[in-house]
């Protein structure tokens, strides 16, 4: 009997132990399930917090991208000018107070800054010459899209982030439009520095491209197992949300094991409190969404103020949306082209060109330029456009009318062509030389006069072919540099050692070059010499007239006077007087004939 009792006691013991084990196992499973659920809720909470910080950061990057794009619109690479920079920069800074400043860089050199007083010390600084900024700047140029450098030490002082948008002109790199954000303002605006969660903190880090080492820009570096991370492709930033495990949870788990029901109730209540957290996050997300919508409205108002045409295409060339500051620049009315393809509206050749540009912008993910003209009712208009991919399905095109510019260029080209023709057909040699006298250009008459071939013009200097006759020992170039101009007679030495008398007239231009005319005066000099010879002979004739003619003429006049006053001559006296008159007349006739002969010879020479 005692033996049966022992067996029953053993069964009771075993049953009690079984009940205890089952009870312990049940509560253990409950605890494990509860803890896993707790971890899941914390992970969800961590994910929500990370999403919020990521969304805030993404909003900052989006706004900064648009700010950089707006600054870039002030740049005209074709004319190499910046328009309305201060006005646009002020509007952007007022709208986004977290921005520290904006810049425009030509090449790698900072040329425009705003606000000026805070950033004027960095004007002229070249980021492509500094090893600490060169790599990330070159990455933006290589990828042809905006890249956020830093955080790095700013020349103005403190840590900051610099977003640089590369600007290209016909596939050639022109420079950057850049936005600057101080690290403390960035961490505050993104919610990384401070958030609504007591147990969630954030790490903000990046691999330094110069050292390849991870750098942390927050003080809360932790090595907890419960964490989530997100990496931004356009900046290589890494944001890690870390949940700090509470020590009390482990004591709570131990207490649940000892006080099963009490700990279960406590765990349930604690879980209930955690479940309330997502509702608050949803409300916060709703507020942030409203802010994004308001910001989009602001950006849309800015687009409305842009005095260019803006079109949105899909990859098939279909018009999805547009903006027109002036409706007169539209070839079709909006209702006639929205939703239609360019192939439905334009001829195949033009439509194919535009479609090719659209596909190129999507494929290369870079700005693609395209210029074209359209025949409007009031005449032909010229346009230049820039296409940039929004995503893999859509493209944005900014179109600007350049009719006045094109017509001015055409007019200038015709004027230059007319000038070139006049220069080429000129009867005098026309030249252009640099400040040292090295020939740059020489017209056809100049080539003929100097004996220089067109491909050898650059090999000759003015001093080597022009020797001044009277310039106080100065060379032609020395005289021009001293007086600023020259009008001198000189000797031209041509390629075959031929000497030519020339007159050279030249002056120095405002660009420091020398331009002038060389005139062959050989015929003129020969004519002058001929006149001088004739004058000498005429002087000789005049001397003859004044001396040789005077003697017989004086005798004739004397004899005639004598003959007139006295009438009581005998026959012999009259014969003598008449013979003397006849001899003087014959002498005078010989002299006159000699003068006439000399005059005729002078005229023939």
């Amino acid at each position: 009997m005692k033996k049966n009792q022992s067996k029953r006691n053993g069964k009771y013991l075993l049953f009690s132990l079984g009940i205890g084990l089952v009870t312990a196992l049940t509560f253990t499973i409950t605890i494990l399930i509860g803890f896993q659920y707790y971890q899941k809720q914390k992970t969800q909470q961590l994910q929500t917090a990370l999403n919020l910080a990521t969304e805030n950061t993404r909003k900052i990057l989006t706004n900064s991208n648009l700010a950089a794009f707006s600054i870039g619109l002030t740049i005209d690479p074709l004319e190499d000018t910046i328009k309305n920079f201060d006005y646009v920069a002020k509007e952007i800074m007022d709208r986004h107070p977290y921005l520290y400043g904006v810049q425009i860089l030509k090449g790698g050199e900072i040329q425009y800054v705003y606000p000026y007083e805070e950033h004027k010390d960095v004007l002229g600084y070249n980021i492509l010459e500094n090893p600490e900024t060169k790599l990330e700047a070159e990455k933006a140029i290589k990828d042809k899209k905006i890249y956020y450098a830093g955080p790095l030490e700013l020349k103005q002082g403190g840590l900051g982030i610099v977003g640089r948008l590369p600007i290209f002109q016909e596939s050639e790199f022109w420079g950057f439009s850049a936005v600057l954000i101080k690290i403390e303002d960035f961490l505050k605006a993104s919610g990384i520095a401070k958030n609504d969660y007591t147990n969630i903190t954030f790490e903000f880090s990046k691999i330094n491209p110069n050292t390849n080492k991870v750098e942390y820009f927050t003080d809360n570096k932790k090595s907890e197992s419960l964490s989530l991370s997100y990496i931004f492709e356009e900046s290589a930033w890494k944001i890690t949300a870390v949940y700090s495990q509470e020590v009390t949870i482990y004591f709570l788990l131990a207490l649940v094991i000892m006080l099963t029901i009490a700990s279960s109730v406590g765990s349930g209540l604690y879980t209930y409190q955690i479940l309330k957290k997502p509702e608050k996050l949803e409300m916060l997300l709703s507020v942030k969404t409203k802010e994004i919508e308001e910001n989009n409205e602001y950006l849309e108002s800015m687009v409305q103020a842009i005095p260019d045409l803006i079109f949105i295409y899909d990859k098939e060339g279909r018009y999805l949306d547009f903006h027109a500051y002036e409706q007169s620049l539209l070839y079709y009315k909006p209702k006639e082209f929205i939703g239609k393809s360019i192939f439905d509206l334009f001829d195949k050749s033009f439509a194919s060109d535009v479609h090719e540009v659209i596909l190129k912008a999507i494929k290369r993910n870079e700005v693609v330029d395209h210029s074209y003209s359209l025949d409007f009712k009031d005449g032909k208009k010229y346009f230049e456009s820039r296409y940039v991919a929004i995503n893999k399905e859509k493209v944005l095109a900014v179109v600007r009318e350049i009719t006045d510019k094109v017509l001015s260029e055409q007019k200038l080209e015709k004027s230059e062509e007319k000038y070139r023709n006049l220069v080429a057909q000129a009867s005098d040699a026309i030249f252009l030389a640099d400040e040292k006298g090295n020939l740059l250009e020489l017209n056809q008459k100049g080539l003929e006069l100097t004996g220089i071939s067109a491909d050898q013009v650059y090999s000759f200097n003015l001093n080597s072919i022009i020797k001044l006759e009277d310039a106080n020992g100065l060379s032609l170039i020395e005289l021009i540099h001293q007086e600023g101009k020259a009008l001198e007679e000189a000797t031209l030495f041509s390629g075959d050692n031929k000497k030519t008398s020339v007159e050279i007239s030249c002056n120095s231009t405002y660009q420091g070059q020398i331009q002038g005319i060389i005139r062959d005066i050989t015929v003129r000099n020969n004519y002058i010499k001929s006149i001088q010879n004739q004058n000498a002979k005429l002087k000789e004739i005049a001397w003859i007239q004044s001396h040789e003619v005077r003697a017989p003429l004086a005798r004739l006049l004397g004899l005639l006077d004598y003959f007139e006053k006295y009438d009581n001559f005998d026959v012999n006296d009259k014969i003598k007087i008449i013979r003397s008159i006849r001899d003087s007349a014959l002498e005078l006739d010989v002299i006159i004939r000699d003068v006439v002969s000399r005059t005729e010879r002078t005229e023939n020479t």
Side-chain angles (χ1 to χ4, degrees):
M1 189 174 195
K2 290 182 178 180
K3 187 176 180 180
N4 292 333
Q5 184 66 40
S6 297
K7 287 182 179 181
R8 282 197 299 270
N9 290 337
K11 290 179 179 180
Y12 293 154
L13 179 60
L14 290 173
F15 182 80
S16 299
L17 290 173
I19 293 298
L21 289 173
V22 170
T23 303
L25 182 60
T26 299
F27 281 105
T28 300
I29 292 173
T30 302
I31 292 170
L32 291 175
I33 293 175
F35 183 75
Q36 289 179 355
Y37 183 77
Y38 166 82
Q39 291 286 79
K40 180 179 180 182
Q41 293 300 312
K42 291 300 180 183
T43 302
Q44 290 178 352
Q45 183 179 356
L46 198 63
Q47 184 65 61
T48 303
L50 179 61
N51 289 345
L52 183 58
T54 302
E55 184 64 25
N56 288 338
T57 303
R58 180 64 64 188
K59 183 179 74 172
I60 293 173
L61 294 180
T62 300
N63 291 338
S64 300
N65 291 350
L66 292 172
F69 179 76
S70 299
I71 291 297
L73 290 177
T74 66
I75 303 172
D76 190 342
L78 288 176
E79 298 182 356
D80 200 24
T81 57
I82 310 299
K83 299 179 181 178
N84 303 321
F85 171 75
D86 288 338
Y87 174 80
V88 175
K90 182 178 184 302
E91 289 290 320
I92 290 173
M93 293 289 290
D94 290 344
R95 181 62 181 175
H96 305 296
Y98 63 85
L99 288 178
Y100 178 50
V102 295
Q103 301 173 346
I104 288 180
L105 299 83
K106 184 174 182 182
E109 181 182 347
I110 300 174
Q111 294 192 348
Y112 289 82
V113 295
Y114 188 91
Y116 177 78
E117 289 300 323
E118 294 183 42
H119 301 274
K120 62 183 179 181
D121 292 339
V122 301
L123 288 172
Y125 174 68
N126 195 316
I127 64 171
L128 295 178
E129 295 177 355
N130 188 336
E132 295 182 2
T133 57
K134 180 180 179 181
L135 288 178
E136 292 181 301
E138 289 180 339
K139 177 174 177 57
I141 297 173
K142 179 181 179 182
D143 295 342
K144 296 185 177 181
K145 63 181 180 180
I146 192 167
Y147 186 80
Y148 286 84
L152 46 80
E153 285 289 339
L154 299 176
K155 301 291 285 188
Q156 301 91 323
L159 278 178
I161 295 167
V162 183
R164 301 188 183 100
L165 177 65
I167 307 298
F168 292 86
Q169 167 60 27
E170 296 182 353
S171 299
E172 291 294 326
F173 172 66
W174 184 91
F176 298 98
S177 63
V179 294
L180 287 76
I181 310 171
K182 279 196 170 183
I183 187 65
E184 56 267 30
D185 295 332
F186 172 80
L187 295 177
K188 182 179 178 181
S190 63
I192 294 176
K194 184 178 180 181
N195 61 77
D196 296 334
Y197 307 99
T198 57
N199 296 323
I200 295 178
T201 55
F202 292 93
E203 291 177 3
F204 183 61
S205 61
K206 179 180 180 178
I207 296 178
N208 189 315
N210 297 309
T211 63
N212 289 323
K213 294 182 180 180
V214 177
E215 294 181 352
Y216 293 89
F217 302 97
T218 53
D219 296 329
N220 47 332
K221 294 184 289 183
K222 298 187 180 298
S223 58
E224 304 291 342
S225 59
L226 189 56
S227 64
L228 295 173
S229 299
Y230 182 85
I231 298 176
F232 290 87
E233 179 183 356
E234 58 267 53
S235 58
W237 297 333
K238 182 179 180 181
I239 297 178
T240 302
V242 181
Y243 191 93
S244 300
Q245 295 280 18
E246 299 174 343
V247 178
T248 56
I249 191 64
Y250 298 106
F251 290 100
L252 184 61
L253 289 174
L255 184 60
V256 168
I257 294 173
M258 293 182 293
L259 307 172
T260 55
I261 297 177
S263 62
S264 298
V265 173
S267 298
L269 292 175
Y270 187 74
T271 302
Y272 175 76
Q273 291 298 323
I274 291 178
L275 291 174
K276 295 290 291 182
K277 288 286 185 179
E279 294 182 8
K280 294 175 64 176
L281 293 176
E282 289 179 2
M283 292 178 62
L284 183 60
L285 187 59
S286 176
V287 171
K288 297 299 181 181
T289 301
K290 186 177 180 181
E291 291 179 358
I292 293 174
E293 292 175 350
E294 292 176 352
N295 187 63
N296 289 337
E297 292 175 356
Y298 161 72
L299 293 175
E300 184 177 352
S301 66
M302 285 190 63
V303 170
Q304 294 297 324
I306 296 175
D308 295 324
L309 298 173
I310 298 178
F311 297 101
I312 306 295
Y313 299 93
D314 64 12
K315 64 180 181 181
E316 302 300 329
R318 189 176 294 104
Y319 289 93
L320 303 180
D321 199 358
F322 81 101
H323 157 72
Y325 188 81
E326 293 184 14
Q327 295 285 331
S328 61
L329 296 178
L330 293 174
Y331 195 75
Y332 290 101
K333 295 180 179 179
K335 64 180 180 180
E336 295 175 342
F337 69 83
I338 290 296
K340 293 185 179 179
S341 169
I342 50 178
F343 291 96
D344 299 330
L345 302 170
F346 300 98
D347 62 79
K348 184 177 180 181
S349 177
F350 177 78
S352 297
D353 290 342
V354 175
H355 189 233
E356 182 180 349
V357 173
I358 292 172
L359 295 179
K360 187 182 296 184
I362 293 175
K363 181 179 180 180
R364 297 183 179 180
N365 196 25
E366 63 183 29
V367 177
V368 181
D369 296 327
H370 180 225
S371 298
Y372 61 91
S373 62
L374 292 173
D375 293 320
F376 284 72
K377 292 181 179 179
D378 56 348
K380 179 177 286 190
K381 293 183 179 180
Y382 296 85
F383 300 89
E384 64 177 10
S385 56
R386 297 179 180 179
Y387 293 75
V388 61
I390 300 175
N391 51 44
K392 293 184 179 180
E393 298 294 329
K394 298 180 182 178
V395 167
L396 179 143
V398 179
V399 182
R400 177 171 296 177
E401 185 199 8
I402 56 171
T403 303
D404 293 340
K405 177 183 176 182
V406 171
L407 294 179
S408 296
E409 290 176 349
Q410 291 176 351
K411 184 177 179 181
L412 178 61
E413 185 177 349
K414 290 180 179 178
S415 176
E416 291 178 346
E417 181 64 24
K418 182 179 179 181
Y419 169 76
R420 284 193 293 269
N421 291 335
L422 289 173
V423 170
Q425 298 172 8
S427 59
D428 294 327
I430 300 176
F431 68 87
L432 179 67
D434 63 19
E435 61 179 0
K436 295 181 179 180
N438 298 314
L439 286 175
L440 301 175
E441 294 183 22
L442 191 62
N443 70 343
Q444 183 60 37
K445 182 62 178 180
L447 297 176
E448 295 172 359
L449 187 61
T450 61
I452 299 173
S453 61
D455 58 346
Q456 294 178 331
V457 170
Y458 299 103
S459 303
F460 286 84
N461 186 280
L462 287 175
N463 283 339
S464 67
I465 61 175
I466 299 290
K467 301 298 180 184
L468 299 182
E469 296 184 356
D470 185 15
N472 297 324
L474 296 177
S475 68
L476 175 60
I477 304 305
E478 291 173 339
L479 180 62
I480 294 172
H481 288 168
Q482 179 176 303
E483 303 292 336
K485 59 183 180 179
L487 178 58
E488 300 287 336
E489 290 189 4
T491 300
L492 172 69
F493 294 87
S494 59
D496 53 359
N497 294 322
K498 178 183 177 182
K499 297 181 180 180
T500 305
S501 296
V502 296
E503 180 183 72
I504 181 167
S505 173
C506 55
N507 65 283
S508 180
T509 69
Y510 72 94
Q511 297 173 326
Q513 297 177 329
I514 301 171
Q515 62 182 10
I517 298 174
I518 302 174
R519 178 169 294 167
D520 187 349
I521 59 172
T522 302
V523 175
R524 188 182 77 180
N525 286 350
N526 291 338
Y527 182 69
I528 291 173
K529 289 180 180 179
S530 175
I531 292 175
Q532 290 174 343
N533 292 334
Q534 289 180 355
N535 288 340
K537 292 180 180 180
L538 289 174
K539 285 181 180 180
E540 182 181 353
I541 294 170
W543 186 88
I544 293 173
Q545 288 177 335
S546 63
H547 293 81
E548 295 183 6
V549 174
R550 187 173 182 82
L553 182 61
R555 289 197 298 272
L556 279 172
L557 291 174
L559 290 170
L560 290 173
D561 183 63
Y562 179 80
F563 192 77
E564 188 178 55
K565 290 180 179 180
Y566 301 97
D567 54 1
N568 53 349
F569 298 113
D570 56 19
V571 175
N572 292 328
D573 291 334
K574 289 184 178 179
I575 292 172
K576 289 180 179 180
I577 292 172
I578 290 171
R579 286 178 176 174
S580 296
I581 291 173
R582 184 172 179 274
D583 291 340
S584 296
L586 290 173
E587 183 180 355
L588 183 61
D589 180 63
V590 170
I591 293 173
I592 290 172
R593 288 176 181 276
D594 184 58
V595 169
V596 171
S597 176
R598 289 172 180 266
T599 302
E600 289 176 349
R601 288 199 300 272
T602 300
E603 290 176 351
N604 293 330
T605 58

